[in-house]
Every structure is written in C-alpha cells, then in structure tokens.
Amino acid sequence: MDNRVNVTFLLIDGYVELHKYRYLYFMIMLTVYILIICSNSTIVYLIWNHQNLHEPMYIFIAALLINSVLFSTATYPKLLIDFLSEQQIISYLGCLVQGYVYYTLASSEFLLLAAMSYDRYVSICKPLQYQTIMTKTNVNVLLVVAWLVPTCQGAVLFVFNAKIKLCAFTLKGIICNSTFQTLHCERSTVLNVGGLVVLTNVMICPTIFVLFTYTRIFIIAYRSCREVRRKAAQTCLPHLIVLINFSSLTIYDVLLLRMTEFPKIVRFIMTLQMLMYHPLLNPIIYGLKMKEIYKHLKIFFRKMF
C-alpha cells in the first residue's frame, strides 16, 4: 500500500470483538436508528400538523428533534456498513465531513436549547411582552443563528484540519470525533485556539445563558402563585434534563482527546451512549413531559392502532 493510499484512507479501530458480535451490533443499531427516526419524526409531524402547537416553544422543540435525526444520520449509516464489512475504513475526506457534520449539529443543539430557555424566560418572567418579543420573525432569526453560526465556525476548522499532515492512520474510535486530532503529526496552535473559541461560543456561553435564565425563572416562580410554579416546572424541567444529559456527553467527548489512555471498551461504550442515548431521550422527554404534545400523541396512536 503506497503513501497516497495511506493518506487517503483511515483504519477504524474502535470496535470491540466485531468479528464475534457483528450481527448483534448491526441489529441493535439498526433498531435504534429506526426508533430514532420514527419517534423524532412523529413528534415533528404532530407539531407541524396541529395549529395549537405552532408556538415558539414547540417550534424550537421540532428544530431540536430534526437536529437529532440529522445527527444520527451523520453516523448510523456508516456504522451499519462497518458492522457488516470485513475491513472498517473511512476515507480521509469522509472522516473530515463526518466530523464536521457531527460537531456542527452538536453545537446547534446547545444554541437551540439556549433559544428555548430564552423563550421560557420571556413567557414566564415577561408574559405581557411575550407576543411582541417572540414574534415569528424573531423565532426564525434564532433558528437561523442556531444552525448558521456552528456551520460557519465548523467550516473554518474543517479547512484547518484538511491542511494538517497526518502521521498516523488508525482511528481509535468508531466515528470521526475529537480522536481524529490524535492522528496529526503535531498539535496545531491555531486549531487548538480555534477549537477553544468554538467551544466557548457554542457550548460554554449557551450553557451559562440557559442556567442563568432558568435560575431567574425558578426564583420568580418560587415567589409567584402555584399556577406559575406549575407552568415553570412543566416547561423548564424537560429542557434542563436534556441540557444536563447532552452537556455530560459533550464533556466526555472533549476529554476524550486529552485522555489518550482510555480503555478501548470504555471508548466503545461511551461513544455508543452518545449516539444512542441522547437522540432517543429527546422524543421521550418532550413527548411524555410536554402536556400538549402528549395529548396529541395519545390521539395519534389511538388512530394508528
């Protein structure tokens, strides 16, 4: 195998006993992927189809669920192919593209959660101004920003990654996440600084903003009547659960690059959790905990069965 081929293709070496459990892995991941698509798409359909769900809060939830489907689609088809392949490889460009899409959508998740927290803050803390602040135009602007900012920032990092020379060609993982940078011949200062800037913009700042707004909401709700407290708990707790879950998985992904001695089995299990747990959790949380969505969901399943 010549140097040109070595540079073009990377060996994926993160699977555990794939030769023994390949068909089990395939069936489990295929089932999960179908569940992710069906569950998320069902709630998006309900929000789109019912006029009383055409409110900012539900629109942001639909955007979050669409994000989950796209996030899964960026990784699952390649995993399913790898499970049945004799050799698990990915092209250099393909790995860059997968990592770009993976991190762009993950970043959008934080910005969408921040937009949702702002919507809840205005709804509970400034109810008289809600209609004038959360207009259709402002909602659209928040959605565009949530997807456009990570797309542009990720594109810059994509270009820098594409220009860096590789000295290793074995990926210690099953997807092209932060472990890809361990293949570089040397750590790039520009890439490290750029990554820190992106991390601050799309994870740290949105998370601080969410915690700040929800703190304000709970303080005001605590001082208000029982109905306000109930409304705050009903609409804010699902968002907080999703934020805590996704933040924990993202922190693991950030640490993965710096803790090179992670046991292979731990890397494998944690990566599967990132790919399976969160996209499945979102429709469960919002489908069962949001009263209006749950009501339409029950009617939908009654008609189906």
Side-chain angles (χ1 to χ4, degrees), residues 16 252 256 262-273:
V16 176
Y252 159 75
L256 192 61
F262 257 120
K264 189 175 182 179
I265 183 66
V266 175
R267 287 175 181 266
F268 183 61
I269 292 173
M270 289 299 295
T271 303
L272 287 181
Q273 278 194 308

Side-chain angles (χ1 to χ4, degrees), residues 4 32 49 73 79 112 161 175 179 229 235 272 292 303:
R4 181 178 59 81
V32 171
N49 197 47
T73 302
L79 288 176
L112 287 171
N161 270 301
I175 59 172
T179 53
R229 290 197 295 270
T235 60
L272 287 181
E292 287 299 316
K303 290 180 179 179

Side-chain angles (χ1 to χ4, degrees), residues 23-232:
Y23 296 111
L24 177 62
Y25 289 155
F26 179 84
M27 290 307 300
I28 291 174
M29 296 303 286
L30 178 62
T31 302
V32 171
Y33 186 41
I34 293 172
L35 286 174
I36 288 171
I37 293 176
C38 292
S39 58
N40 285 278
S41 299
T42 298
I43 297 178
V44 171
Y45 167 76
L46 292 176
I47 293 172
W48 172 76
N49 197 47
H50 293 88
Q51 192 66 35
N52 68 323
L53 297 181
H54 292 183
E55 298 178 8
M57 177 176 65
Y58 300 114
I59 292 172
F60 288 132
I61 289 174
L64 202 68
L65 299 180
I66 291 171
N67 217 57
S68 293
V69 172
L70 295 175
F71 180 83
S72 299
T73 302
T75 53
Y76 274 76
K78 174 59 176 151
L79 288 176
L80 294 173
I81 292 171
D82 284 343
F83 290 142
L84 299 181
S85 300
E86 289 301 319
Q87 190 175 25
Q88 291 70 49
I89 58 174
I90 187 169
S91 69
Y92 178 38
L93 179 61
C95 193
L96 286 175
V97 171
Q98 187 186 68
Y100 169 67
V101 176
Y102 176 86
Y103 283 112
T104 296
L105 294 172
S107 300
S108 296
E109 191 100 1
F110 283 104
L111 293 176
L112 287 171
L113 288 170
M116 293 165 73
S117 72
Y118 179 67
D119 172 71
R120 292 300 83 206
Y121 171 77
V122 176
S123 174
I124 295 172
C125 301
K126 299 181 179 181
L128 299 179
Q129 302 175 46
Y130 184 77
Q131 295 299 329
T132 57
I133 294 176
M134 298 305 295
T135 62
K136 185 177 180 180
T137 300
N138 289 341
V139 170
N140 289 335
V141 168
L142 289 173
L143 289 173
V144 170
V145 168
W147 274 312
L148 188 61
V149 170
T151 300
C152 295
Q153 290 185 336
V156 175
L157 294 181
F158 176 90
V159 172
F160 277 115
N161 270 301
K163 291 181 177 181
I164 294 178
K165 184 180 178 182
L166 301 181
C167 283
F169 305 99
T170 301
L171 191 68
K172 295 181 179 179
I174 61 174
I175 59 172
C176 293
N177 53 6
S178 59
T179 53
F180 177 79
Q181 293 186 35
T182 61
L183 307 181
H184 295 164
C185 294
E186 58 183 19
R187 292 290 179 89
S188 168
T189 303
V190 174
L191 195 59
N192 286 338
V193 172
L196 183 60
V197 171
V198 171
L199 185 68
T200 301
N201 289 342
V202 299
M203 178 186 171
I204 297 175
C205 288
T207 301
I208 292 173
F209 178 77
V210 170
L211 294 177
F212 170 76
T213 54
Y214 283 166
T215 299
R216 292 286 301 158
I217 288 171
F218 288 130
I219 289 173
I220 291 175
Y222 179 76
R223 295 172 179 172
S224 303
C225 63
R226 183 177 179 181
E227 179 62 23
V228 174
R229 290 197 295 270
R230 185 192 63 80
K231 181 182 178 182

